[in-house]
């Protein structure tokens, strides 16, 4: 592979997160502070180089050199210890000689770091997974020169016919197995109303038997559905009573605040009149009766304190009321983000880099969840993408629920033009991730998509994602198998 410079190649070179195996690397390419590779090099006023992490904490010469030219007079002339971002270091790093990452497999190729990715993608010693892994092949480390041979013989080749594993007698192409199993009469499934209490069939039975069960138990199933609607109506009644109680409390607080406002206004007028009388008597406010002044000021301060406490309580009740009005108990969140452009400006200036949705629930007494959005991107999507995450919250009934959380999650940005071109991402929780363990604080670590949708695509007027300066987010979980404790 040629090591000759390529036009604009270095400028577009992005330093990977992993260090390559350098043939030789001078010490000047390591941070003077943490001693790690200088991925983003900043030069100090004394001529040393530090990484982006170390520069923010720099208060003196990073090498602690007594003879360093970082003198008091030099510092007085500089607003910062950092003189500039050094792009030359990145250019020099990109031209250092590195070994192929498949050297241990026999590749003796050496090249400049900036050319390593292209070489790695074409190296004959590289390893790759079978192209039919999604159909069940477990071979994930096949040498490049063997991959075609393996693919042609692979028993999971999509065009190869295999006998149905459920014993229905049909031979089906590998690529069609999944769709066949959704129709195969021998596949074992549950009654679709099992969660509502149907126990008239074993836990699992063939699809053919379940279909016969459904046809013969229409009246029984109708009764189960009716009972379920009754439970839903009970929940609605409880929520309605809660909302009415909160609304009544809010109205009472409004009346109390109005009365306190009137009292404070009268006291302010009395204090102003008393001060004016004192000025008129001898043109000296200090001659005003100190005891009366003290009493009036004290009463006024006490009322101000009470007014502040009432205002806080009123705000808390409004938040609670809003939360109750927007909460859902069916595992689906519909979240309207209003005033999008202002919120995005706040995210850019880090005034409010992230926003949270109201909570929603899997069932009335189930998992408590919310969504989290970064309008100017987060992590790998910073400044380029809209980032969207799912968050497990600490709930009142967590001790009664099954952990870790295992329900399938779907994040969606809805197309409000009516064309139905929604952007969605569906994933299953990692049972080993702390994001889905039983919460020990108010919020678990968020999990989702830092590069959910490019900001340019979201804001493009020809799309229907941003309408009237608003976004509409939908988050849903698969509630199959979930019941209230």
């Amino acid at each position: 592979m040629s090591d000759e410079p390529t036009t604009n190649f270095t400028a577009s070179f992005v330093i990977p997160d992993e260090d390559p195996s350098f043939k030789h690397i001078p010490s000047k390419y390591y941070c003077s502070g943490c001693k790690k590779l200088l991925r983003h090099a900043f030069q100090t006023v004394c001529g040393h180089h530090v990484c982006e992490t170390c520069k923010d904490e720099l208060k003196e010469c990073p090498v602690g050199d007594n003879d360093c030219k970082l003198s008091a007079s030099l510092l007085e002339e500089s607003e910062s210890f950092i003189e500039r971002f050094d792009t030359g270091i990145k250019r020099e790093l990109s031209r250092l000689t590195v070994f192929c990452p498949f050297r241990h497999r026999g590749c003796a190729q050496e090249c400049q770091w900036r050319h390593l990715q292209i070489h790695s993608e074409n190296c004959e010693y590289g390893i790759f997974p079978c192209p039919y892994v999604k159909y069940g092949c477990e071979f994930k480390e096949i040498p490049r020169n063997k991959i075609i041979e393996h693919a042609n013989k692979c028993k999971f080749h999509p065009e190869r016919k295999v006998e149905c594993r459920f014993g229905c007698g049909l031979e089906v192409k590998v690529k069609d197995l999944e769709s066949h199993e959704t129709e195969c009469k021998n596949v074992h499934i549950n009654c679709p109303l099992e969660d509502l209490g149907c126990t008239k069939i074993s836990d699992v039975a063939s699809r053919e038997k379940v279909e016969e069960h459904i046809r013969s138990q229409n009246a029984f199933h109708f009764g189960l559905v009716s009972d379920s609607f009754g439970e839903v109506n009970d929940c609605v009644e409880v929520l309605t009573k809660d909302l009415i109680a909160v609304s009544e409390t809010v109205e009472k607080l409004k009346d109390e605040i109005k009365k306190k406002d009137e009292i404070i206004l009268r006291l302010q007028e009395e204090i102003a009149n008393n001060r004016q009388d004192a000025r008129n008597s001898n043109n000296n406010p200090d001659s005003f009766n100190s005891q009366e002044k003290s009493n009036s000021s004290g009463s006024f301060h006490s009322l101000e304190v009470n007014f502040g406490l009432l205002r806080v309580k009123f705000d808390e009740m409004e938040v609670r009321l809003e939360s109750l009005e927007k909460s859902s108990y069916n595992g689906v969140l519909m979240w309207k983000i209003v005033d999008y452009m202002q919120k995005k400006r706040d995210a850019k200036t880090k005034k409010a880099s992230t926003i949270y949705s109201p909570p929603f629930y899997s069932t009335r007494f189930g998992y408590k969840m919310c969504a989290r959005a970064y309008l100017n991107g987060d992590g790998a999507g910073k400044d380029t993408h809209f980032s969207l995450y799912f968050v497990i919250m600490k709930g009142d009934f967590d001790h009664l629920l099954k952990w870790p959380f295992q329900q399938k999650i779907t994040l969606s940005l809805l197309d409000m033009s009516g064309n139905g071109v929604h952007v969605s991402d569906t994933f299953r929780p990692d049972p080993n991730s702390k994001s889905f363990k039983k919460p020990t604080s108010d919020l678990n670590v968020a999990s989702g998509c830092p590069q959910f949708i490019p900001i340019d695509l979201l804001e493009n007027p020809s799309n229907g994602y941003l309408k009237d300066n608003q976004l509409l987010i939908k988050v849903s979980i698969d509630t199959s198998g979930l019941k209230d404790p």
Side-chain angles (χ1 to χ4, degrees):
M1 184 176 191
S2 174
D3 284 347
E4 292 301 315
T6 305
T7 304
N8 293 330
F9 195 95
T10 304
S12 62
F13 174 66
V14 178
I15 297 180
D17 292 334
E18 293 186 8
D19 294 351
S21 177
F22 290 100
K23 186 173 184 179
H24 171 70
I25 180 168
S27 59
K28 71 175 184 176
Y29 296 121
Y30 290 98
C31 174
S32 298
C34 64
K35 310 303 179 187
K36 295 180 180 179
L37 192 68
L38 282 168
R39 281 184 159 72
H40 301 283
F42 291 82
Q43 183 174 314
T44 66
V45 291
C46 56
H48 296 108
H49 286 90
V50 293
C51 65
E52 188 171 15
T53 301
C54 291
K55 80 176 179 67
D56 295 330
E57 301 177 359
L58 192 64
K59 296 181 180 179
E60 59 184 1
C61 173
V63 298
D65 189 351
N66 292 330
D67 298 327
C68 177
K69 63 180 181 179
L70 188 60
S71 63
S73 60
L74 184 60
L75 286 177
E76 289 175 0
E77 298 172 2
S78 305
E79 296 180 356
S80 168
F81 287 91
I82 301 301
E83 184 176 39
R84 63 185 176 90
F85 174 67
D86 195 338
T87 56
I89 292 292
K90 175 185 173 182
R91 182 172 58 253
E92 294 170 18
L93 276 173
S94 72
R95 289 188 166 90
L96 290 179
T97 301
V98 298
F99 295 111
C100 172
F102 304 114
R103 185 185 183 193
H104 64 290
R105 292 183 172 271
C107 182
Q109 181 69 42
E110 299 174 4
C111 62
Q112 292 184 2
W113 193 8
R114 58 187 177 141
H115 297 144
L116 183 61
Q117 182 177 353
I118 295 177
H119 167 73
S120 299
E121 292 172 353
N122 296 278
C123 179
E124 62 179 309
Y125 293 92
I127 55 173
F128 301 88
C130 171
Y132 308 130
V133 165
K134 67 178 180 179
Y135 294 119
C137 183
E138 296 181 355
F139 286 90
K140 297 182 179 179
E141 293 190 0
I142 306 172
R144 180 188 296 277
N145 56 4
K146 299 285 186 181
I147 197 163
I148 295 178
E149 178 185 352
H150 167 83
N152 290 335
K153 296 179 179 179
C154 181
K155 66 178 182 179
F156 293 97
H157 192 293
E159 296 297 327
R160 181 171 175 265
K161 286 189 174 183
V162 296
E163 188 174 332
C164 172
R165 63 192 176 104
F166 295 102
C168 71
L170 292 178
E171 285 193 347
V172 185
K173 289 183 179 181
V174 170
K175 67 179 182 180
D176 298 328
L177 275 175
E178 187 174 347
S179 60
H180 166 72
E181 290 174 3
T182 63
E183 302 172 352
C184 179
K185 299 296 184 181
N186 286 7
V187 172
H188 284 65
I189 60 174
N190 298 319
C191 172
L193 296 183
E194 179 191 31
D195 292 340
L196 296 183
C198 179
T199 57
K200 294 201 172 188
I201 194 170
S202 59
D203 288 343
V204 289
S206 69
R207 178 177 278 108
E208 190 172 23
K209 288 183 178 179
V210 172
E211 289 174 353
E212 175 59 31
H213 161 75
I214 292 172
R215 286 192 293 270
S216 64
Q217 298 294 330
N218 278 336
F220 176 67
H221 287 161
F222 181 79
L224 291 178
V225 173
S226 298
D227 292 344
S228 176
F229 276 122
E231 293 176 3
V232 171
N233 287 332
D234 291 342
C235 289
V236 171
E237 288 180 8
V238 170
L239 286 173
T240 302
K241 290 178 181 178
D242 288 345
L243 286 172
I244 292 173
V246 171
S247 299
E248 290 174 351
T249 304
V250 169
E251 290 302 319
K252 290 179 182 178
L253 285 172
K254 286 181 177 178
D255 291 339
E256 290 183 28
I257 289 173
K258 183 178 179 180
K259 292 176 182 178
K260 298 296 183 183
D261 281 340
E262 293 173 354
I263 294 172
I264 290 172
L265 183 60
R266 286 200 302 270
L267 281 173
Q268 287 175 330
E269 292 175 351
E270 288 179 13
I271 291 173
N273 291 335
N274 288 336
R275 286 176 177 167
Q276 186 60 44
D277 290 344
R279 291 191 186 96
N280 294 338
S281 63
N282 57 5
N283 201 26
N284 183 4
D286 293 333
S287 66
F288 179 60
N289 186 297
S290 60
Q291 183 62 39
E292 293 181 6
K293 183 176 180 181
S294 175
N295 290 340
S296 297
S297 298
S299 299
F300 178 63
H301 176 70
S302 176
L303 282 168
E304 280 188 322
V305 171
N306 289 335
F307 174 75
L309 293 174
L310 284 170
R311 178 66 69 183
V312 170
K313 189 174 181 181
F314 175 71
D315 290 342
E316 289 176 350
M317 294 301 290
E318 278 197 324
V319 170
R320 183 182 171 192
L321 177 61
E322 182 181 6
S323 177
L324 283 170
E325 288 175 339
K326 294 183 177 179
S327 293
S328 69
Y329 297 87
N330 61 353
V332 179
L333 167 71
M334 296 296 286
W335 178 25
K336 181 181 286 187
I337 299 177
V338 300
D339 200 12
Y340 166 80
M341 297 308 297
Q342 180 58 52
K343 286 184 171 66
K344 183 185 174 188
R345 284 193 290 271
D346 291 344
K348 276 189 172 183
T349 59
K350 298 182 179 180
K351 182 178 179 181
S353 59
T354 184
I355 55 175
Y356 289 89
S357 74
F360 69 110
Y361 300 81
S362 58
T363 59
R364 183 68 180 87
F365 308 107
Y367 298 100
K368 184 179 182 182
M369 306 155 287
C370 72
R372 183 177 186 179
Y374 289 80
L375 273 59
N376 195 48
D378 173 55
K382 183 71 173 176
D383 297 324
T384 60
H385 286 70
F386 173 83
S387 304
L388 185 60
Y389 297 93
F390 171 83
V391 184
I392 296 285
M393 304 177 71
K394 181 183 282 188
D396 294 333
F397 307 100
D398 288 348
H399 294 300
L400 303 177
L401 304 176
K402 183 179 179 181
W403 300 98
F405 180 84
Q406 298 178 359
Q407 308 306 119
K408 184 171 66 176
I409 302 158
T410 300
L411 306 175
S412 302
L413 172 63
L414 301 187
D415 174 11
M416 293 185 281
S417 68
N419 294 324
V421 188
H422 309 311
V423 178
S424 296
D425 186 81
T426 300
F427 61 95
R428 286 196 175 276
D430 177 0
N432 298 316
S433 169
K434 291 182 179 179
S435 297
F436 304 103
K437 302 289 187 183
K438 181 180 176 183
T440 56
S441 58
D442 290 341
L443 299 168
N444 274 3
V445 176
S447 180
C449 308
Q451 295 179 319
F452 187 75
I453 181 174
I455 293 174
D456 291 344
L457 182 62
L458 184 152
E459 297 179 355
N460 190 325
S462 63
N463 298 319
Y465 305 122
L466 182 60
K467 195 172 185 66
D468 298 330
N469 201 23
Q470 298 177 356
L471 302 180
L472 191 56
I473 303 296
K474 179 180 179 181
V475 180
S476 61
I477 66 166
D478 180 6
T479 57
S480 301
L482 290 184
K483 300 178 182 178
D484 273 328

